[in-house]
Amino acid sequence: MKLLARLRQIAMVGGVETFGVAVGGIAGLLIVNVLPKDQYAAYTFLVACITLILGVTDLGLAHCCLPVVGQRTNEIPWVVGACQQVFRKRWLLLGLGLAIVAPYWFITSREHGWGGGGYLLASAFMIVIVLLTLREHFASTVLLILGHISTLNRIGFSSHFVRIAFVGAVLLLPMTSWSVAGIVAATAAASLVSVVLYRNEFRSREIVNSRLEGDDARRVDAQVIQIAKPLVLPAIFYQVQGVITVFLVSMFGTSSMVAEVGAFGRLAMVLIVVDRVTNILLFPVIARAPEGERLRRMLLQGHLVYLFLMALVLLTSIYLPQYWILLLGEKYRSMEPLVWMVFLASILQNASGFAFRTMTVRGVTAGQTYSIPVTLLTQVAYLAIVGVSDLRSVLGFAIATSVANFVYQYSLLILRGRKM
């Protein structure tokens, strides 16, 4: 009976997440197909800026909530208070994220000639999205730990519908210099709807703000520092790595290459389904499980299934690339031979993150700093031998980086897993 209940839960969450990714994918593919390449390049760049700002507010903190809460998941004041204690530090880091990204935004925007009222408005909406997303992350983390999975699914449905409705409305209008601002505004509107729904849900469930004081606050702070300290440098480094291909082509390539990298990123969205299901169902279980043989068996089975599913997706990109290109439109037809490279890089990177999160939910964060020189040496060697001159070489750079991350994270997991 437990197995059937677990399978029903996986099916429900997987179905909702598949729907969410499908809706998000449809919206993204509509944007790819309708927006001219120059405007899509600007949009891709702004999305990379949002990702980088949110990444800097993290610095390992996002991995602290589950291990800090521990097994006290039924104590609502404790869950809320512990999560607030973590997210308060993320808000403090927001200024650092803006200080890092602002010069990058200014220099790159000037270099590619992105400007005007529409682009500046889109950039302003970018800041709004960051502010709303932090609130979303806090609320969803609390509800996830408390086990309100159906609520997260329902709010996710609403958010996806709002975004695709706004995107559709913008794309039905004639394309102008303000179209990118409308697309970014659609994401901001979806985030606003999520925040309002989360707030209503907290009110209906009588989940109120609970600030930790005294010994509890100091104990949580000490645990957060212990978990996050080994992750600070890797977090900074890998936030940059997360947008490294966009960064490379925005600084050294053409606007057309920026658009192509962004368009290819849409294809890899299918991989998000597996990641979201594991985030909601698997990692909270791993975080609470007692050490021993059962935990190690759970980890082994989870990783084998994950890698098998990823391998299936990779096979479709090798043998059926023409069908993936259909999703992007005819203006990207010349990129068909490169589809497998996009999926290979994304699969290896996602698998690295899967191994990384497996360790962090158990509070095992030691050794992550050494992944930086491993990755940097790989990247320097690639740039020295191959260089970055076209889209194929950029994707090769992404694969080389992903291979280094994959090998390091799984080696560390195998080493640390023996002690779990």
Side-chain angles (χ1 to χ4, degrees):
M1 293 301 292
K2 284 185 177 181
L3 178 60
L4 289 176
R6 176 60 65 181
L7 289 175
R8 282 196 297 268
Q9 191 178 39
I10 291 173
M12 180 186 71
V13 174
V16 171
E17 292 302 332
T18 300
F19 173 81
V21 171
V23 171
I26 291 170
L29 293 171
L30 285 174
I31 296 169
V32 172
N33 279 272
V34 177
L35 276 185
K37 263 192 173 183
D38 59 336
Q39 292 199 46
Y40 189 71
Y43 174 74
T44 297
F45 171 69
L46 290 177
V47 171
C49 288
I50 293 172
T51 303
L52 194 53
I53 292 173
L54 288 171
V56 174
T57 67
D58 181 355
L59 299 187
L61 295 173
H63 303 287
C64 293
C65 290
L66 280 171
V68 164
V69 170
Q71 297 184 359
R72 298 171 62 180
T73 54
N74 295 323
E75 303 174 33
I76 294 178
W78 167 254
V79 172
V80 176
C83 289
Q84 272 197 343
Q85 198 73 9
V86 174
F87 272 83
R88 190 173 295 117
K89 296 168 180 58
R90 292 197 66 178
W91 280 101
L92 292 175
L93 288 169
L94 178 59
L96 176 62
L98 292 172
I100 291 173
V101 173
Y104 169 53
W105 172 87
F106 179 75
I107 294 170
T108 305
S109 298
R110 288 193 61 186
E111 180 181 339
H112 290 279
W114 295 326
Y119 181 74
L120 293 176
L121 181 60
S123 300
F125 279 129
M126 177 185 74
I127 304 301
V128 173
I129 290 171
V130 170
L131 297 176
L132 291 172
T133 301
L134 281 175
R135 296 183 182 278
E136 281 186 274
H137 285 178
F138 168 74
S140 63
T141 299
V142 170
L143 292 178
L144 174 61
I145 293 174
L146 293 175
H148 300 309
I149 307 300
S150 60
T151 299
L152 293 173
N153 293 337
R154 187 175 66 252
I155 293 175
F157 265 117
S158 302
S159 175
H160 292 311
F161 271 124
V162 169
R163 183 168 185 266
I164 197 169
F166 268 80
V167 167
V170 171
L171 295 180
L172 285 173
L173 298 173
M175 290 295 103
T176 69
S177 60
W178 297 87
S179 297
V180 172
I183 297 298
V184 180
T187 302
S191 293
L192 179 60
V193 168
S194 291
V195 169
V196 171
L197 292 176
Y198 278 129
R199 184 175 296 174
N200 292 341
E201 194 65 35
F202 272 44
R203 189 180 297 116
S204 66
R205 294 182 181 276
E206 298 182 347
I207 301 174
V208 298
N209 289 335
S210 302
R211 188 185 181 110
L212 298 184
E213 302 287 351
D215 291 340
D216 281 341
R218 286 189 289 271
R219 188 161 51 249
V220 167
D221 284 342
Q223 194 171 356
V224 167
I225 291 172
Q226 180 185 9
I227 295 169
K229 188 177 179 181
L231 297 178
V232 171
L233 285 178
I236 296 173
F237 181 72
Y238 284 111
Q239 294 309 326
V240 175
Q241 293 297 313
V243 293
I244 189 67
T245 52
V246 175
F247 176 79
L248 281 174
V249 295
S250 66
M251 296 296 288
F252 306 110
T254 64
S255 294
S256 179
M257 287 177 64
V258 176
E260 289 166 352
V261 168
F264 259 160
R266 295 291 176 183
L267 294 182
M269 284 187 66
V270 67
L271 305 177
I272 297 175
V273 175
V274 180
D275 283 337
R276 287 184 177 174
V277 171
T278 55
N279 279 336
I280 292 173
L281 297 180
L282 180 61
F283 289 123
V285 175
I286 292 175
R288 294 191 297 266
E291 294 182 359
E293 185 60 33
R294 181 175 177 274
L295 173 60
R296 288 190 288 272
R297 186 168 59 252
M298 183 195 309
L299 296 181
L300 178 61
Q301 292 171 347
H303 281 267
L304 288 176
V305 171
Y306 183 91
L307 294 174
F308 174 74
L309 293 174
M310 292 295 180
L312 290 180
V313 176
L314 179 61
L315 287 175
T316 66
S317 70
I318 294 172
Y319 293 106
L320 302 169
Q322 65 274 22
Y323 295 106
W324 290 109
I325 288 295
L326 285 176
L327 299 175
L328 300 182
E330 285 301 317
K331 59 179 175 285
Y332 296 99
R333 175 62 62 183
S334 62
M335 298 159 55
E336 184 178 310
L338 307 179
V339 171
W340 70 271
M341 298 181 72
V342 176
F343 276 99
L344 179 58
S346 298
I347 285 170
L348 290 173
Q349 197 62 33
N350 284 19
S352 302
F354 190 70
F356 173 78
R357 291 194 303 276
T358 300
M359 290 181 282
T360 56
V361 296
R362 299 292 300 185
V364 180
T365 55
Q368 289 296 333
T369 303
Y370 298 108
S371 65
I372 296 177
V374 171
T375 304
L376 280 178
L377 286 173
T378 302
Q379 292 176 333
V380 170
Y382 182 90
L383 292 174
I385 297 170
V386 180
V388 175
S389 56
D390 56 14
L391 185 59
R392 182 181 291 274
S393 60
V394 169
L395 294 176
F397 178 87
I399 291 175
T401 301
S402 299
V403 168
N405 293 337
F406 179 85
V407 171
Y408 185 87
Q409 293 298 337
Y410 268 93
S411 298
L412 195 61
L413 177 62
I414 292 170
L415 181 63
R416 300 284 188 254
R418 297 172 183 172
K419 300 177 182 178
M420 289 184 183

